[in-house]
Amino acid sequence: MKRLYTWYVALISIMGCALFLYIRPFEHVEQQWLLLLLLSFSTTLLSIYIVHLPPKGNAFSLDSTIYLATIFVYGLETSLMVLLFSMIPTYFFHEKKMEWWKHVCNFAMYTCMIVGAYYSFLMLGGESGIFSLHDLGAYFVSLVVYSFINILLMIGFFSFSPSFSFRNMLISIVKEWFFTYGVTLLASLILVSLLLLHEYFGILLFTSIGLLLSFTFRQYGQLYEKVAHDKAYIEQLLNSLPIGIVTMDEATSNHFINDSAATLLRLDKKEIKQWIERERKSERNASFWDLFTFPDPFQQVKVSYERDGEEKIFLVSQSNLHHLYGEIIGRTIFFLDITEMEQLTKRIHQSEKLALMGEMAAKAAHEIRNPLAVIHGFLAFMNENLAENEREQYHIPLLLQEIDRINAIVEDMLLIAKPSAPVMKEAYMETIVQDVLSLFQQTLEAKNIRVHVRLDHVPLQLDSKQMMQVLYNLLHNSIEAMEEGGTICIYSDVDETYNMYMYDSGSGIPTHMQETIFEPFITTKSSGTGLGLTIVKRIIENHGGTIALHDSSEQGTTFVIRLPIQ
């Protein structure tokens, strides 16, 4: 493919240069050197300062205009000499980085185009040196031939490129042909008129106009690029916000919908526009879409929105959209997902209610303790002084047992409501574990429960008394979960925190209760108060740590306690 490309370039170069030498234009222009220099200088300037056309970055130069106008006024030889003289400074000063053979090929192609345009002009009755409306057909055909030769040569030039697409190139040429070559023909006729009116003044005036157009369109292009860049930056900024934004420009009927709006509504932007313009109607989410019809501004309206079975709460506001001079041209709607905030607010209100109830419960528990003590005293007195059959008749032992149970619940409620602040001292977790295990020694032996302890020897800041209560409650639960013996493992690892794991091979915690086991009065035991794990959680949190259910199944249960390391 590269060899064919080389042969093609060589063929065009030889053919064009040979055609130029055959015509021998330099033999006919001895008396026109100043005019040639002016035309060549003008052609060089206009080929350098091309006219850029935003937004697609297209551009065209007016050098072809001069070649055609020179044909119409002075003939073929002068046009070819202008081509030659303009190529020399272009090669030496403007496009020095381009290889010399490309300049030769470019020169040859222009030669073929100029020759073809000239002879087609003559064939249709055109006459150089005059301007006549009767020759408009000749002018037009010469331009068509000029552009057609250019297109054929360019197609042949690019067809040897691996990435060449004939269809795409043809579409691009057709799109640009009418405008670019239409301007070229019109500008060439204007230059013809100026040259026939006054040669030197006409060249200077046309060159000045061409340069002015180049500078003007260049500045316009830079301004357009800046506006496009600013617009893209603003759109990118709006798309990065976590707030849904929809602007409705009533003057142009345009809508801007940022990415967050599409994400929050779970719709694409086309669907959102259809809902706004009422092209779609549904009872679902009608309260939300009705807000887009309100003409006046509003602030922070809560509205529900349901999509795919999930309900969201949006906080919606609307403001007027103004143009540069302050007149209202539309509206802007902002909406924010406050679903989590609403849920958090509800939880805070619930926590406040629970805190108030806890305070009331603590006061009630404190007041209950006094009459409980009196009742317990009289029942104990009766238990000691009544005969055994009378004690059985009045169920005195059962009453005492239930009174003790009520008193335990009251004590736990007081501990939860007003826990004492931990007194921190340096201690080791394995020492506390051994002290607690000694309290369960007989129970462990009776139930045939094996205990394995492997704890890292790390100093911690603890309230040993409160931590003993934590371990007592956890071990008590583990022992009750194993009715026919089993294993308890207490082990640890250390990273940024001290992590102690407590495993038992009991029956596990039911799945439906695993998320609520630390809440008050949640228990799986018929005789339990349901406050043990709540107290454990409160004590651990007062130590700056956390406790969580690590794993639970029919094979056993594991809790993990994480405590800070000083």
Side-chain angles (χ1 to χ4, degrees), residues 5 9 12-14 16-17 44 47-48 67 83-84 86-111 157:
Y5 173 79
V9 171
I12 295 299
S13 301
I14 294 172
C17 292
T44 303
S47 65
I48 295 173
Y67 298 142
L83 171 65
L84 177 63
S86 63
M87 285 292 178
I88 295 174
T90 302
Y91 172 71
F92 283 103
F93 300 105
H94 178 52
E95 296 182 355
K96 293 186 291 185
K97 293 183 179 180
M98 192 167 71
E99 293 86 344
W100 65 269
W101 57 268
K102 290 185 179 179
H103 283 281
V104 174
C105 183
N106 194 34
F107 172 80
M109 291 173 64
Y110 270 103
T111 300
F157 189 81

Side-chain angles (χ1 to χ4, degrees), residues 205-255:
L205 180 61
F206 184 81
T207 304
S208 301
I209 293 174
L211 293 176
L212 182 62
L213 285 175
S214 176
F215 293 141
T216 302
F217 276 94
R218 190 185 300 269
Q219 291 179 350
Y220 173 73
Q222 293 173 351
L223 179 62
Y224 180 87
E225 289 179 1
K226 185 178 183 304
V227 171
H229 178 270
D230 292 343
K231 180 182 178 182
Y233 176 78
I234 293 173
E235 289 184 359
Q236 184 178 4
L237 182 64
L238 293 177
N239 285 327
S240 66
L241 294 175
I243 303 172
I245 301 175
V246 178
T247 62
M248 294 167 284
D249 191 337
E250 296 175 355
T252 60
S253 299
N254 290 331
H255 295 76

Side-chain angles (χ1 to χ4, degrees), residues 194-387:
L194 293 174
L195 291 174
L196 293 175
L197 180 65
H198 193 286
E199 292 178 339
Y200 302 123
F201 176 75
I203 295 172
L204 294 176
L205 180 61
F206 184 81
T207 304
S208 301
I209 293 174
L211 293 176
L212 182 62
L213 285 175
S214 176
F215 293 141
T216 302
F217 276 94
R218 190 185 300 269
Q219 291 179 350
Y220 173 73
Q222 293 173 351
L223 179 62
Y224 180 87
E225 289 179 1
K226 185 178 183 304
V227 171
H229 178 270
D230 292 343
K231 180 182 178 182
Y233 176 78
I234 293 173
E235 289 184 359
Q236 184 178 4
L237 182 64
L238 293 177
N239 285 327
S240 66
L241 294 175
I243 303 172
I245 301 175
V246 178
T247 62
M248 294 167 284
D249 191 337
E250 296 175 355
T252 60
S253 299
N254 290 331
H255 295 76
F256 171 76
I257 303 168
N258 73 338
D259 292 344
S260 295
T263 302
L264 290 173
L265 299 178
R266 297 183 182 178
L267 298 169
D268 59 41
K269 295 181 180 181
K270 183 179 180 181
E271 290 177 315
I272 295 175
K273 185 178 179 181
Q274 291 174 345
W275 281 105
I276 294 173
E277 295 177 346
R278 319 302 286 181
E279 294 180 10
R280 294 188 177 188
K281 294 184 179 180
S282 175
E283 296 297 326
R284 189 179 65 176
N285 302 321
S287 57
F288 174 78
W289 296 113
D290 286 344
L291 294 176
F292 288 83
T293 63
F294 290 178
D296 299 324
F298 55 83
Q299 296 293 325
Q300 298 182 352
V301 176
K302 289 183 182 179
V303 61
S304 62
Y305 180 87
E306 189 271 329
R307 180 74 176 177
D308 300 331
E310 182 179 0
E311 185 174 1
K312 298 284 186 179
I313 304 297
F314 291 149
L315 190 65
V316 188
S317 300
Q318 178 173 277
S319 61
N320 289 326
L321 183 66
H322 301 83
H323 67 25
L324 182 63
Y325 303 104
E327 295 182 4
I328 298 175
I329 59 172
R331 296 170 290 132
T332 302
I333 285 187
F334 312 85
F335 56 94
L336 177 66
D337 185 359
I338 59 169
T339 306
E340 293 185 2
M341 190 181 301
E342 286 290 296
Q343 294 174 351
L344 179 60
T345 303
K346 291 180 181 179
R347 287 198 294 268
I348 291 174
H349 290 164
Q350 185 68 16
S351 298
E352 291 174 350
K353 291 179 182 179
L354 291 175
L356 179 61
M357 292 177 62
E359 186 177 351
M360 293 174 60
K363 292 180 180 179
H366 183 73
E367 295 299 326
I368 290 173
R369 293 173 69 185
N370 294 329
L372 273 180
V374 174
I375 295 172
H376 188 275
F378 277 105
L379 288 174
F381 178 79
M382 293 172 64
N383 188 52
E384 292 177 359
N385 293 281
L386 292 176

Side-chain angles (χ1 to χ4, degrees), residues 477-524:
N477 289 345
S478 296
I479 291 170
E480 289 193 345
M482 295 182 290
E483 298 179 356
E484 300 179 357
T487 303
I488 295 176
C489 297
I490 305 173
Y491 57 98
S492 68
D493 61 46
V494 179
D495 43 35
E496 295 181 355
T497 58
Y498 184 89
N499 308 316
M500 185 177 71
Y501 301 87
M502 184 171 290
Y503 163 79
D504 66 71
S505 58
S507 58
I509 300 172
T511 303
H512 67 278
M513 297 180 61
Q514 292 181 7
E515 294 184 359
T516 59
I517 55 173
F518 293 105
E519 294 182 6
F521 306 109
I522 301 297
T523 181
T524 60

Side-chain angles (χ1 to χ4, degrees), residues 39-55:
L39 287 171
S40 302
F41 181 71
S42 175
T43 304
T44 303
L45 285 178
L46 296 180
S47 65
I48 295 173
Y49 296 98
I50 60 178
V51 179
H52 293 273
L53 300 174

